[in-house]
Amino acid sequence: FVAGIGERLSAAPVLPEPGLLLVNPGIQLATRDVFGAFRGGLSGPGRFSEAPATVAELAAILGERSNDLAAAARSLAPQIGDVVDALQALPGCRLARMSGSGPTCFALFDDVASAVEAAGQLTRPAGWWVSTGRLRPSRSP
């Protein structure tokens, strides 16, 4: 788990290995600017102790949590909303969110093949950067 502004790391439960689709709308967005636009308090830790057995379970757990910086990042770069909407509309997408302070967004799929297929179906404006892969295998804590 990552906490604070990324400086605190702690062990997480063993996770499944979903396929990932990463998309950046081709813009730069400084973390400092996102924190400058952020209003309100940070939510509590989003840690969970249960080890999800499937990608669907992982997506459900993550779906109960949010990225506190998403609204601030979208206020500076509305294209982030376009990316998340496009990812959520893809067949097989289990969860789509902005990563960190943006602007890169991610979508979880059951496997890499599904993520690659979805990337091929993604309708995107010129300049969007797209990459696929998988969540790195986790080790027992």
Side-chain angles (χ1 to χ4, degrees):
F1 290 110
V2 180
I5 57 171
E7 82 283 8
R8 293 185 307 228
L9 303 174
S10 60
V14 176
L15 301 176
E17 298 178 32
L20 295 175
L21 175 53
L22 302 174
V23 178
N24 181 295
I27 59 170
Q28 300 222 356
L29 184 61
T31 298
R32 177 178 26 176
D33 294 342
V34 175
F35 273 95
F38 177 73
R39 301 291 178 257
L42 295 172
S43 60
R47 292 177 178 82
F48 52 92
S49 57
E50 63 274 18
T54 66
V55 175
E57 290 176 15
L58 175 62
I61 290 168
L62 296 177
E64 295 172 352
R65 291 149 176 83
S66 63
N67 182 336
D68 292 335
L69 298 176
R74 284 182 183 200
S75 75
L76 299 171
Q79 304 93 319
I80 291 169
D82 298 336
V83 172
V84 172
D85 291 346
L87 291 172
Q88 287 175 329
L90 292 169
C93 175
R94 296 283 186 176
L95 179 78
R97 295 279 174 82
M98 181 186 79
S99 178
S101 60
T104 301
C105 301
F106 70 91
L108 299 181
F109 293 85
D110 287 336
D111 51 47
V112 174
S114 299
V116 169
E117 184 176 335
Q121 296 177 26
L122 181 65
T123 302
R124 62 186 193 254
W128 281 22
W129 172 88
V130 176
S131 185
T132 57
R134 67 178 166 83
L135 188 66
R136 185 175 179 188
S138 53
R139 297 179 216 137
S140 298

